[in-house]
Amino acid sequence: KAGLKAYPHEYSGGMRQRVAIAIALLHNPSVIIADEPTTALDVSIQAQILSEMRDLVRETGTALIWISHDLAVVASLAARLAVMYRGEVIETGPTFDVLRNPQQEYTANLLAALPANAEPGKLLAHTGNAGVPIEASDSAALPDKADFLSVTNADRVFTPNITLGEKIAGLIGAGVARQSTHAVKDVTLKVARGETLGLVGESGSGKSTLGRLMAGILPPSSGQILLDDTPVMEAGRKSTLRVQTIFLDPFASLNPRMKVGQAVSEGALAHDLVKPADAAAYVTRWFERVGLEPAWAERYPHQFSGGQRQRVAIARALAMQPDVLICDEPVASLDVSIQAQIINLFLELQKGLGLTMVFISHDLSVVRHLSDRVAVMYLGEIVEIGPAEQIYKSPARAYARRLLDAVPVLDLG
């Protein structure tokens, strides 16, 4: 009940999505059109929502149209499947007939692009522009360092602000307390130079907060976070430029009034990483590396597709010449073909530029494909960490096993 008095910004993305689903179900509709309703949800909550949707359809006769990029979710829910391409339905039929024996090349390509259908760490099949090959740089040849990014006993507590109305009413101090949220609890971990660490867990487990602590966006309430033995956030709350973040929603993280070329060059110019006379060439360099046409630098964010905007966001982060990328759900909103392109891009960047990456995601198949090691978070704590294959094949903790068991599997056998 306390949650009913909270504002949307006080919830995680997955929690906000659950509220939206609840609002739709309250009206007892005859038809539900669900447009990517579980994209922002962790696998456990997604499994609950899918189960509830199946029960709803069976018990009430409600018709359900489920729009999704996730073929495994669709296969677990839908009796019939329609595949769209460029505004047209190019293939339709019973779900498993379409998936087992696709008649259209586009449908076959979607299946081939799934990370679950490929060997971890290998480039995925896809269609579209993948960008220019990324050659290894000097940073890729730097000596290994096991504690390149080091988090030691990090805590983060969020204390709600006291509103003016509460002060006037005298509620605070009169027995009505506002609860603090302990989002990250005594986390200690190390990320090696050039390593990709996957960070998984349920919505509200503290993954994004930990990512923001690593990036220096938020200061820890206690503990220490070092990059190459230097604090990521100096005194005066000045954060390092050596860690950059790529967020879930590139449209929200890009200034809609700024041309994307300006967005990519702005930080580099402000911090003297490039001279104004060389800014255009600098933008071209990074656009080409992420598979964007240099001429598109004059466009605004709304003139791009979701996948293209995410490439712009990646180019903007790379233009700061970081040593570490914190990737917070960067492919969750993309279809599987574009997702495959972005995953391939991350693989090439990690190998070619020697980047260290922390990859935060609900999609456990994507995390497995990209990560060297995986850390599992629960209620703000790291409850398990180890090599990716070990975590996925034989997790030691029951919580990790429950997460893996909740993953929808596209079984066409």
Side-chain angles (χ1 to χ4, degrees), residues 3-133:
L4 295 176
K5 297 183 181 297
Y7 291 93
H9 72 273
E10 296 180 275
Y11 288 104
S12 70
M15 292 174 179
R16 287 195 294 268
Q17 187 68 291
R18 289 159 69 183
V19 171
I21 292 170
I23 290 170
L25 295 178
L26 282 173
H27 297 284
N28 295 318
S30 299
V31 179
I32 295 176
I33 299 177
D35 190 357
E36 295 281 2
T38 60
T39 294
L41 304 182
D42 65 76
V43 290
S44 298
I45 301 303
Q46 175 180 261
Q48 293 177 31
I49 296 297
L50 293 177
S51 177
E52 290 169 6
M53 288 294 189
R54 281 191 288 265
D55 291 343
L56 177 73
V57 171
R58 183 178 61 253
E59 294 170 5
T60 68
T62 302
L64 178 64
I65 300 174
W66 192 275
I67 303 168
S68 179
H69 295 133
D70 193 325
L71 296 180
V73 167
V74 171
S76 71
L77 193 64
R80 296 177 63 248
L81 173 65
V83 181
M84 291 194 70
Y85 179 64
R86 293 186 175 179
E88 297 182 18
V89 173
I90 61 170
E91 188 164 2
T92 186
T95 300
F96 283 95
D97 289 351
V98 172
L99 295 177
R100 287 191 185 108
N101 187 28
Q103 300 301 304
Q104 298 291 326
E105 182 181 1
Y106 176 75
T107 309
N109 288 340
L110 288 180
L111 292 165
L114 293 172
N117 291 340
E119 182 181 346
K122 300 298 183 183
L123 297 182
L124 298 172
H126 67 87
T127 58
N129 184 12
V132 300

Side-chain angles (χ1 to χ4, degrees), residues 273-321:
L273 298 178
V274 64
K275 296 178 181 179
D278 299 326
Y282 192 72
V283 170
T284 294
R285 167 190 170 191
W286 290 112
F287 266 42
E288 288 178 341
R289 283 201 165 182
V290 301
L292 294 171
E293 294 291 337
W296 296 350
E298 294 300 308
R299 295 182 180 179
Y300 291 92
H302 73 271
Q303 295 175 288
F304 291 89
S305 69
Q308 289 170 335
R309 279 196 295 268
Q310 194 61 284
R311 288 173 181 269
V312 171
I314 294 170
R316 180 179 59 177
L318 294 177
M320 297 302 294
Q321 302 177 25

Side-chain angles (χ1 to χ4, degrees), residues 104-410:
Q104 298 291 326
E105 182 181 1
Y106 176 75
T107 309
N109 288 340
L110 288 180
L111 292 165
L114 293 172
N117 291 340
E119 182 181 346
K122 300 298 183 183
L123 297 182
L124 298 172
H126 67 87
T127 58
N129 184 12
V132 300
I134 299 172
E135 298 179 356
S137 66
D138 292 339
S139 62
L142 289 172
D144 292 338
K145 189 174 188 215
D147 59 348
F148 185 56
L149 178 61
S150 175
V151 180
T152 306
N153 303 120
D155 276 84
R156 176 66 195 194
V157 178
F158 292 99
T159 303
N161 293 325
I162 300 173
T163 67
L164 179 60
E166 288 169 332
K167 290 180 180 178
I168 294 172
L171 294 176
I172 304 302
V176 179
R178 297 288 296 277
Q179 281 193 332
S180 296
T181 300
H182 204 160
V184 173
K185 303 177 184 177
D186 195 30
V187 168
T188 296
L189 60 83
K190 301 181 188 302
V191 186
R193 190 197 305 272
E195 180 184 30
T196 298
L197 175 72
L199 192 56
V200 302
E202 294 176 313
S203 298
S205 63
K207 305 185 301 299
S208 292
T209 301
L210 179 57
R212 285 166 170 76
L213 295 178
M214 290 177 172
I217 296 173
L218 292 173
S221 301
S222 62
Q224 183 175 247
I225 302 171
L226 303 177
L227 176 63
D228 208 9
D229 303 322
T230 302
V232 297
M233 181 172 281
E234 302 286 359
R237 295 195 174 188
K238 180 181 179 182
S239 59
T240 180
L241 301 178
R242 296 175 65 189
V243 185
Q244 295 294 314
T245 303
I246 300 166
F247 298 98
L248 163 66
D249 185 356
F251 195 73
S253 63
L254 293 169
N255 187 337
R257 296 182 177 87
M258 182 180 288
K259 293 179 180 178
V260 294
Q262 292 176 277
V264 170
S265 64
E266 181 183 34
L269 286 168
H271 295 283
D272 298 320
L273 298 178
V274 64
K275 296 178 181 179
D278 299 326
Y282 192 72
V283 170
T284 294
R285 167 190 170 191
W286 290 112
F287 266 42
E288 288 178 341
R289 283 201 165 182
V290 301
L292 294 171
E293 294 291 337
W296 296 350
E298 294 300 308
R299 295 182 180 179
Y300 291 92
H302 73 271
Q303 295 175 288
F304 291 89
S305 69
Q308 289 170 335
R309 279 196 295 268
Q310 194 61 284
R311 288 173 181 269
V312 171
I314 294 170
R316 180 179 59 177
L318 294 177
M320 297 302 294
Q321 302 177 25
D323 295 305
V324 178
L325 278 183
I326 308 294
C327 306
D328 192 358
E329 296 279 6
V331 298
S333 62
L334 306 180
D335 69 71
V336 290
S337 184
I338 301 302
Q339 174 183 270
Q341 295 178 36
I342 300 298
I343 289 172
N344 287 350
L345 178 59
F346 280 128
L347 288 169
E348 291 172 347
L349 290 170
Q350 195 271 336
K351 294 174 183 176
L353 300 180
L355 286 171
T356 302
M357 295 199 300
V358 176
F359 199 92
I360 303 166
S361 181
H362 291 132
D363 192 327
L364 300 185
S365 64
V366 171
V367 171
R368 181 180 189 178
H369 194 80
L370 280 170
S371 303
D372 301 300
R373 289 189 305 143
V374 172
V376 183
M377 286 196 76
Y378 178 64
L379 297 179
E381 300 180 75
I382 300 290
V383 296
E384 187 166 357
I385 187 169
E389 285 305 297
Q390 175 186 314
I391 296 292
Y392 278 80
K393 289 182 179 178
S394 55
R397 302 293 291 270
Y399 174 71
R401 286 196 293 272
R402 287 200 303 272
L403 280 181
L404 292 169
D405 289 342
V407 177
V409 177
L410 185 59

